[in-house]
Amino acid sequence: MVSVHSEQIIPASVKVLVAGGFGVGKTTLVGSVSEIPPLSTEELLTEASSGVDDLAGVEGKTTTTVALDFGRITVSPRIVLYLFGTPGQDRFWFMWDELAYGAAGAIVLIDTRRLEASFAAIDFFERRRIPFVVAVNHFEGSYDYEADEVRKALAINDSIPVVACDARKKDSSKLALIKLLEHAMSRLPAAEPKVS
Ligand SMILES: Nc1nc2c(ncn2[C@@H]2O[C@H](COP(=O)(O)OP(=O)(O)OP(=O)(O)O)[C@@H](O)[C@H]2O)c(=O)[nH]1
Ligand SMILES: [Mg+2]
């Protein structure tokens, strides 16, 4: 809700999640778009991770998010987005419901070399009817698939936007967020006509 008080506009706060499987670039995206120093909860990958988390494709990864990432971006004087990045490892699933509470929507990042890493995230938002867009994060050596090919591989509806993204780049990440806002707004019920 937007409050206007003696010419001062208090922007609406919109909560957005940045989700997806292990190592798909969630922390990177929150860090690249956030206008405040992002809060992150990175810890070194430990022995507990070996044999559990699939490092294929992200062999250089040494840390992982254990709780959440947090950032903020002002989209307009009327809208401020609060970004919450989810932890990627399966054993932190218990955090997801808490993080998703009150969210307007989610960006689900995918790495096309490891699509299956993001299946559970897609399932999570579909089940809870939380609007989401799929952002294909470009990693070196990954093939550029058409949006329809990605939808088919993920078994998602044609109405779900699929956008290309480089999570390291602010403008690219911002475009994915704008796409999500457009998508979430398109799903809002039309306003009832006023009866006088
Ligand atoms: N080439 C490339 N590398 C990326 C991109 N985004 C992230 N990376 C790298 O991929 C690795 C994983 O990125 P993170 O942002 O930590 O991924 P995450 O999804 O937060 O990982 P978890 O929290 O452990 O699930 C890091 O080494 C990043 O530098 C991208 O768009 N392109
Ligand atoms: Mg992370």
PDB file of all heavy atoms in Angstrom, residues 25-28 42 61 64-65 69 86-88, ligand 2:
ATOM      1  N   GLY A  25      23.452 -19.269  -8.425  1.00  0.00           N
ATOM      2  CA  GLY A  25      23.765 -17.842  -8.519  1.00  0.00           C
ATOM      3  C   GLY A  25      22.846 -16.920  -7.730  1.00  0.00           C
ATOM      4  O   GLY A  25      22.794 -15.715  -7.988  1.00  0.00           O
ATOM      5  N   LYS A  26      22.166 -17.436  -6.711  1.00  0.00           N
ATOM      6  CA  LYS A  26      21.221 -16.624  -5.933  1.00  0.00           C
ATOM      7  C   LYS A  26      21.931 -15.496  -5.166  1.00  0.00           C
ATOM      8  O   LYS A  26      21.523 -14.339  -5.230  1.00  0.00           O
ATOM      9  CB  LYS A  26      20.455 -17.518  -4.939  1.00  0.00           C
ATOM     10  CG  LYS A  26      19.701 -18.652  -5.618  1.00  0.00           C
ATOM     11  CD  LYS A  26      19.088 -19.610  -4.611  1.00  0.00           C
ATOM     12  CE  LYS A  26      20.072 -20.417  -3.788  1.00  0.00           C
ATOM     13  NZ  LYS A  26      20.800 -21.462  -4.519  1.00  0.00           N
ATOM     14  N   THR A  27      22.974 -15.853  -4.450  1.00  0.00           N
ATOM     15  CA  THR A  27      23.715 -14.853  -3.666  1.00  0.00           C
ATOM     16  C   THR A  27      24.319 -13.808  -4.605  1.00  0.00           C
ATOM     17  O   THR A  27      24.328 -12.606  -4.313  1.00  0.00           O
ATOM     18  CB  THR A  27      24.826 -15.549  -2.844  1.00  0.00           C
ATOM     19  OG1 THR A  27      24.201 -16.508  -1.987  1.00  0.00           O
ATOM     20  CG2 THR A  27      25.626 -14.565  -2.012  1.00  0.00           C
ATOM     21  N   THR A  28      24.803 -14.267  -5.756  1.00  0.00           N
ATOM     22  CA  THR A  28      25.406 -13.356  -6.738  1.00  0.00           C
ATOM     23  C   THR A  28      24.371 -12.346  -7.228  1.00  0.00           C
ATOM     24  O   THR A  28      24.640 -11.148  -7.323  1.00  0.00           O
ATOM     25  CB  THR A  28      25.960 -14.169  -7.932  1.00  0.00           C
ATOM     26  OG1 THR A  28      26.835 -15.165  -7.422  1.00  0.00           O
ATOM     27  CG2 THR A  28      26.694 -13.293  -8.917  1.00  0.00           C
ATOM     28  N   GLU A  42      27.199 -16.666   4.215  1.00  0.00           N
ATOM     29  CA  GLU A  42      28.017 -17.683   3.554  1.00  0.00           C
ATOM     30  C   GLU A  42      28.873 -18.434   4.563  1.00  0.00           C
ATOM     31  O   GLU A  42      29.474 -17.824   5.448  1.00  0.00           O
ATOM     32  CB  GLU A  42      28.963 -17.015   2.550  1.00  0.00           C
ATOM     33  CG  GLU A  42      28.276 -16.379   1.366  1.00  0.00           C
ATOM     34  CD  GLU A  42      27.609 -17.406   0.475  1.00  0.00           C
ATOM     35  OE1 GLU A  42      28.314 -18.096  -0.264  1.00  0.00           O
ATOM     36  OE2 GLU A  42      26.372 -17.510   0.534  1.00  0.00           O
ATOM     37  N   LYS A  61      33.316 -23.782  -6.327  1.00  0.00           N
ATOM     38  CA  LYS A  61      32.519 -23.241  -5.217  1.00  0.00           C
ATOM     39  C   LYS A  61      33.069 -23.702  -3.872  1.00  0.00           C
ATOM     40  O   LYS A  61      33.242 -24.892  -3.636  1.00  0.00           O
ATOM     41  CB  LYS A  61      31.077 -23.709  -5.395  1.00  0.00           C
ATOM     42  CG  LYS A  61      30.078 -22.945  -4.566  1.00  0.00           C
ATOM     43  CD  LYS A  61      28.690 -23.214  -5.114  1.00  0.00           C
ATOM     44  CE  LYS A  61      27.610 -22.829  -4.126  1.00  0.00           C
ATOM     45  NZ  LYS A  61      27.708 -21.465  -3.632  1.00  0.00           N
ATOM     46  N   THR A  64      28.700 -21.661   0.788  1.00  0.00           N
ATOM     47  CA  THR A  64      27.271 -21.799   0.485  1.00  0.00           C
ATOM     48  C   THR A  64      26.472 -20.960   1.470  1.00  0.00           C
ATOM     49  O   THR A  64      26.940 -20.665   2.570  1.00  0.00           O
ATOM     50  CB  THR A  64      26.841 -23.286   0.552  1.00  0.00           C
ATOM     51  OG1 THR A  64      25.503 -23.399   0.064  1.00  0.00           O
ATOM     52  CG2 THR A  64      26.888 -23.836   1.982  1.00  0.00           C
ATOM     53  N   THR A  65      25.253 -20.581   1.050  1.00  0.00           N
ATOM     54  CA  THR A  65      24.380 -19.789   1.912  1.00  0.00           C
ATOM     55  C   THR A  65      23.714 -20.714   2.927  1.00  0.00           C
ATOM     56  O   THR A  65      23.074 -21.688   2.545  1.00  0.00           O
ATOM     57  CB  THR A  65      23.286 -19.100   1.060  1.00  0.00           C
ATOM     58  OG1 THR A  65      23.925 -18.322   0.061  1.00  0.00           O
ATOM     59  CG2 THR A  65      22.385 -18.220   1.907  1.00  0.00           C
ATOM     60  N   ASP A  69      20.072 -14.602   1.993  1.00  0.00           N
ATOM     61  CA  ASP A  69      20.711 -13.384   1.501  1.00  0.00           C
ATOM     62  C   ASP A  69      19.660 -12.301   1.627  1.00  0.00           C
ATOM     63  O   ASP A  69      18.464 -12.581   1.482  1.00  0.00           O
ATOM     64  CB  ASP A  69      21.073 -13.503   0.019  1.00  0.00           C
ATOM     65  CG  ASP A  69      21.974 -14.680  -0.263  1.00  0.00           C
ATOM     66  OD1 ASP A  69      23.065 -14.732   0.311  1.00  0.00           O
ATOM     67  OD2 ASP A  69      21.563 -15.551  -1.064  1.00  0.00           O
ATOM     68  N   THR A  86      17.358 -17.548  -1.029  1.00  0.00           N
ATOM     69  CA  THR A  86      17.170 -18.761  -0.222  1.00  0.00           C
ATOM     70  C   THR A  86      18.479 -19.550  -0.138  1.00  0.00           C
ATOM     71  O   THR A  86      19.335 -19.429  -1.016  1.00  0.00           O
ATOM     72  CB  THR A  86      16.110 -19.677  -0.860  1.00  0.00           C
ATOM     73  OG1 THR A  86      16.555 -20.019  -2.170  1.00  0.00           O
ATOM     74  CG2 THR A  86      14.770 -18.999  -0.945  1.00  0.00           C
ATOM     75  N   PRO A  87      18.601 -20.392   0.884  1.00  0.00           N
ATOM     76  CA  PRO A  87      19.752 -21.311   0.902  1.00  0.00           C
ATOM     77  C   PRO A  87      19.538 -22.397  -0.152  1.00  0.00           C
ATOM     78  O   PRO A  87      18.394 -22.778  -0.425  1.00  0.00           O
ATOM     79  CB  PRO A  87      19.737 -21.891   2.310  1.00  0.00           C
ATOM     80  CG  PRO A  87      18.382 -21.646   2.858  1.00  0.00           C
ATOM     81  CD  PRO A  87      17.752 -20.532   2.072  1.00  0.00           C
ATOM     82  N   GLY A  88      20.624 -22.888  -0.742  1.00  0.00           N
ATOM     83  CA  GLY A  88      20.479 -23.841  -1.843  1.00  0.00           C
ATOM     84  C   GLY A  88      20.526 -25.299  -1.420  1.00  0.00           C
ATOM     85  O   GLY A  88      20.028 -26.169  -2.122  1.00  0.00           O
TER      86      GLY A  88
HETATM   87 MG    MG B   2      23.848 -18.506  -1.910  1.00  0.00          MG
END
